[in-house]
């Protein structure tokens, strides 16, 4: 039987106000085969208008006023609600709170924000006032990953909005909202779909593999793989498998210590590992890449271990020496 298709990404949306971006995200999720679904709308303001809309649409909601709570405790409650709802990605949509570093770090790469300016211009508040005062020809909107530094994470998508003669912050803001509603659902969908895109996953894998010493890429049985050593006598330590032999997994195959370890991994963590056709018989395990929240450090550890198991001693010794510094 083929493995089940990977699930849609479950997103929790955090709002503080009207929630028009939340609504745009929600309605987009119900059209066609959108790769995400909204599992929770949460707010730091129990009176936020967006909560009533989410409820009417049958989405779970959570509200907790932040007044009188420490930032850490309030963040922890929002995070617990997101986890409880089964969220694997958090999407901020007009959530007007600075988040504690710990919260942001735990969701690194899995928390997105929308900001009404063309970042890196105009971080923080009053972006329209500042863009008009500066005489800019364009304002705009950015979707970015959230990092501890405010509005500074990697920009994933932007849309430019012309500043018209006589624009006020209010008229400009209304037009930027229209652009936001187009951009945000699309940017979120593209971002979460990366996790099931073989080209994206292979590019990530290749970057890690080729950073190991004396590695080259070589095809084997029609799929790319990585070898250590010379072009002539190198040995494979990783194979990329894109839904091979009826499997729905996109995976990297790496060498384990043997059949006992392989079977143990597959039995105890079937969401992470599987026994691949053919290679499995000689102790190679599949590490699944097309699943929510792949830990790329973990993938890198496996690549290094597999590399080490076939690298000439001279190379692995050098690598050990380098690790000591
Ligand atoms: C949006 O314009 C969003 O870009 C902005 O708040 C508004 C929320 O509107 N976010 C920020 O300024 C974050 N620094 P909405 O509640 O109608 O989606």
């Amino acid at each position: 039987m083929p493995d089940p298709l990977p699930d849609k990404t479950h997103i929790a949306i955090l709002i503080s106000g009207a929630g028009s971006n939340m609504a745009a995200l929600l309605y987009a999720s119900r059209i066609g085969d959108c790769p995400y679904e909204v599992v929770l709308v949460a707010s730091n303001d129990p009176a936020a208008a967006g909560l009533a809309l989410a409820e009417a649409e049958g989405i779970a909601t959570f509200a907790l006023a932040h007044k009188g709570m420490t930032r850490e405790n309030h963040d922890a409650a929002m995070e617990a609600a997101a986890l409880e709802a089964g969220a694997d990605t958090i999407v901020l949509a007009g959530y007007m709170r600075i988040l504690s570093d710990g919260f942001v770090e735990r969701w690194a790469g899995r928390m997105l924000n929308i900001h009404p300016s063309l970042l890196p211009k105009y971080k923080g508040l009053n972006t329209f006032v500042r863009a008009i005062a500066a005489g800019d020809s364009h304002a705009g909107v950015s979707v970015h990953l959230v990092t501890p530094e405010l509005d500074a994470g990697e920009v994933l998508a932007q849309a430019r909005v012309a500043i018209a003669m006589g624009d006020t912050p209010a008229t400009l803001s209304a037009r930027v909202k229209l652009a936001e509603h187009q951009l945000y659902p699309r940017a979120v969908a593209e971002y979460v779909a990366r996790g099931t895109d073989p080209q994206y996953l292979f590019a990530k894998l290749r970057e890690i593999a080729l950073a190991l010493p004396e590695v080259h890429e070589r095809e084997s049985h029609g799929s790319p793989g990585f070898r250590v050593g010379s072009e002539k006598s190198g040995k494979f330590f990783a194979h990329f498998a894109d839904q091979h032999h009826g499997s729905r997994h996109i995976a990297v195959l790496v060498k384990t210590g043997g059949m006992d370890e392989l079977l143990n991994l597959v039995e105890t963590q079937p969401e992470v590992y599987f026994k691949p056709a053919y290679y499995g018989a000689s102790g190679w395990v599949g590490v699944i890449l097309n699943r929510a929240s792949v830990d790329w450090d973990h993938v890198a550890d496996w690549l290094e271990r597999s590399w080490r198991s076939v690298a000439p001693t001279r190379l692995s010794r050098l690598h050990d020496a380098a690790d000591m510094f």
Side-chain angles (χ1 to χ4, degrees):
M1 217 176 60
D3 312 310
L5 273 171
D7 282 341
K8 288 185 179 225
T9 297
H10 292 168
I11 68 169
I13 306 180
L14 271 48
I15 62 169
S16 294
S20 71
N21 279 287
M22 176 277 293
L25 287 160
L26 171 60
Y27 293 125
S29 77
R30 292 180 171 169
I31 300 170
D33 54 356
C34 184
Y36 68 82
E37 69 183 290
V38 182
V39 294
L40 179 75
V41 172
S43 180
N44 60 318
D45 178 0
L51 287 172
L53 170 73
E55 258 164 43
E57 292 292 353
I59 305 292
T61 60
F62 175 78
L64 180 65
H66 58 268
K67 201 157 181 267
M69 291 183 81
T70 64
R71 194 174 296 285
E72 282 71 19
N73 285 347
H74 187 264
D75 284 356
M78 300 301 276
E79 183 177 13
L83 289 171
E84 168 95 349
D88 27 56
T89 298
I90 291 184
V91 176
L92 309 178
Y95 190 59
M96 305 309 268
R97 299 267 302 155
I98 306 261
L99 302 175
S100 52
D101 288 358
F103 184 25
V104 171
E105 275 154 14
R106 280 191 294 284
W107 290 80
R110 298 185 296 139
M111 191 190 276
L112 281 68
N113 184 38
I114 189 157
H115 181 76
S117 79
L118 295 169
L119 289 172
K121 268 190 156 178
Y122 311 131
K123 297 175 179 173
L125 298 175
N126 302 321
T127 59
F128 305 119
V129 176
R130 289 190 279 159
I132 293 171
D136 291 355
S137 67
H138 286 78
V141 50
S142 306
V143 174
H144 65 96
L145 289 175
V146 179
T147 52
E149 194 187 332
L150 186 69
D151 299 331
E154 181 193 341
V155 172
L156 301 172
Q158 287 185 318
R160 281 156 59 85
V161 174
I163 300 183
M165 282 271 266
D167 251 341
T168 63
T171 57
L172 181 56
S173 146
R175 267 195 338 283
V176 167
K177 275 270 166 71
L178 295 176
E180 291 190 338
H181 299 165
Q182 300 295 317
L183 186 71
Y184 212 5
R186 190 168 161 160
V188 172
E190 273 173 15
Y191 184 70
V192 303
R194 291 198 327 195
T196 51
D197 173 4
Q199 276 182 14
Y200 171 79
L201 295 172
F202 179 65
K204 279 286 274 191
L205 185 71
R206 169 196 242 175
E207 193 183 319
I208 303 170
L210 291 181
L212 289 162
E214 283 188 36
V215 168
H216 58 271
E217 194 176 326
R218 173 75 61 90
E219 212 175 271
S220 153
H221 302 286
S223 347
F226 298 95
R227 307 200 321 164
V228 52
S230 68
E231 285 282 349
K232 226 168 117 189
S233 62
K235 289 203 173 102
F236 277 103
F237 66 95
H239 296 278
F240 180 69
D242 178 7
Q243 312 196 348
H244 276 179
H245 309 292
S247 164
R248 291 199 191 278
H249 299 314
I250 301 174
V252 57
L253 314 187
V254 287
K255 285 179 92 118
T256 63
M259 198 52 72
D260 284 350
E261 186 188 9
L262 163 57
L263 294 177
N264 186 267
L265 289 168
V266 173
E267 197 180 309
T268 55
Q269 290 164 265
E271 68 290 356
V272 181
Y273 300 104
F274 70 104
K275 184 178 172 205
Y278 307 109
Y279 287 102
S282 35
W284 292 71
V285 74
V287 182
I288 303 168
L289 302 175
N290 57 337
R291 67 195 155 91
S293 54
V294 177
D295 178 350
W296 285 98
D297 290 338
H298 174 250
V299 174
D301 288 347
W302 266 111
L303 284 172
E304 183 179 338
R305 182 179 151 187
S306 196
W307 174 91
R308 206 174 270 282
S309 73
V310 294
T313 338
R314 119 192 112 75
L315 279 182
S316 46
R317 282 226 188 95
L318 266 178
H319 205 55
D320 287 343
D323 276 354
M324 284 163 67
F325 294 100

